[in-house]
Amino acid sequence: MSLILGLDLGGSSIKAGAVDVKAGCVVGELQAVPTPPGATPPATQEALASLVERFPQCAGYVGLAFPSVIKSGVAYSAANIDKAWIGLDASRLLTTAARRPGFVVNDADAAGVAEMRIGAGRATRGVVMMLTFGTGIGSALFVDGRLWPNSELGHLEIDGREAEQFASARVRTSENLDWPAWCVRVNRVLAGYHALFWPDLFIIGGGVSERWEEFGGALHSPARIVPAVLRQTAGVVGAAFYAAEQMSS
Ligand code: BGC
């Protein structure tokens, strides 16, 4: 069994896990370190290096799910991280930190790929939109299982405001919204996305998906809405899938 290390940089922590990419599961415990304040590149590099050291059992390369537009390893946006990432070769930084080949992918795309392959979107054809509600709103769009990368729908304007500025999980906490009040906002976002993309299925992910029972029933759309099933492991698993794919291509 070959284990690939998957890493996932979020607003509060960087998670890591040894992923059996054939079976599609995390083997052993996830490990995490706090995301350095502002997630500056040098501090992030150090944090990544310290996590990699904890997984001597993992094979020769690593994947990282990262909250930015990523094209050929380079970060092109920095909505919730240090602006110094823009234009930086994130894959090279990861490779230096891990001292082995590193591959970087947008965090929502990573989570979406994992959900489509082994989670809530498994074997689903048509248009699927995976949304992650966390510090921002991440999106991953699929047509018959194929990813449209870097869709960045959290920045789409809904009612004159960027969706993630009024309906992310962070905003729910900072504005002290109860579930019904937050769901009114999320429903506006889903309606806006539906009017433009006509998905057949929404998969709702991110940290909040762990509390689906408390709010899932209040979400509505003409499209089907289901919770992500991989919960906090989706980014880690998707990052490992992505790295394995890059190595074999
Ligand atoms: C970023 C995306 C990211 C999402 C979730 C947004 O602010 O622009 O790249 O996927 O947050 O982390």
Side-chain angles (χ1 to χ4, degrees), residues 138-230:
S139 63
L141 257 185
F142 297 86
V143 182
D144 291 340
R146 275 203 73 194
L147 172 70
W148 172 310
N150 295 307
S151 54
E152 292 292 313
L153 298 181
H155 302 294
L156 198 70
E157 274 193 20
I158 308 278
D159 293 342
R161 276 184 296 179
E162 257 186 87
E164 75 170 28
Q165 297 298 336
F166 86 114
S168 66
R170 178 180 56 80
V171 170
R172 188 183 85 81
T173 311
S174 68
E175 294 190 20
N176 223 353
L177 301 174
D178 60 14
W179 291 114
W182 180 68
C183 284
V184 168
R185 296 188 181 194
V186 175
N187 281 331
R188 277 298 309 136
V189 170
L190 297 184
Y193 291 164
H194 187 268
L196 295 175
F197 296 93
W198 289 82
D200 301 294
L201 174 70
F202 282 114
I203 302 175
I204 308 296
V208 284
S209 63
E210 312 228 344
R211 299 179 66 180
W212 179 257
E213 288 69 26
E214 293 169 71
F215 69 90
L219 296 182
H220 304 290
S221 167
R224 228 155 40 86
I225 309 176
V226 296
V229 300
L230 297 172

Side-chain angles (χ1 to χ4, degrees), residues 9-11 66-70 77-81 106-109 132-139 150 152-155 162 164:
L9 188 141
F66 193 74
S68 165
V69 169
I70 301 287
S77 66
N80 297 305
I81 47 175
N106 172 265
D107 55 356
D109 286 348
T132 62
F133 290 84
T135 307
I137 297 179
S139 63
N150 295 307
E152 292 292 313
L153 298 181
H155 302 294
E162 257 186 87
E164 75 170 28

Side-chain angles (χ1 to χ4, degrees), residues 27-44:
V27 176
E29 296 286 301
L30 280 189
Q31 302 232 14
V33 296
T35 303
T40 61
T44 302

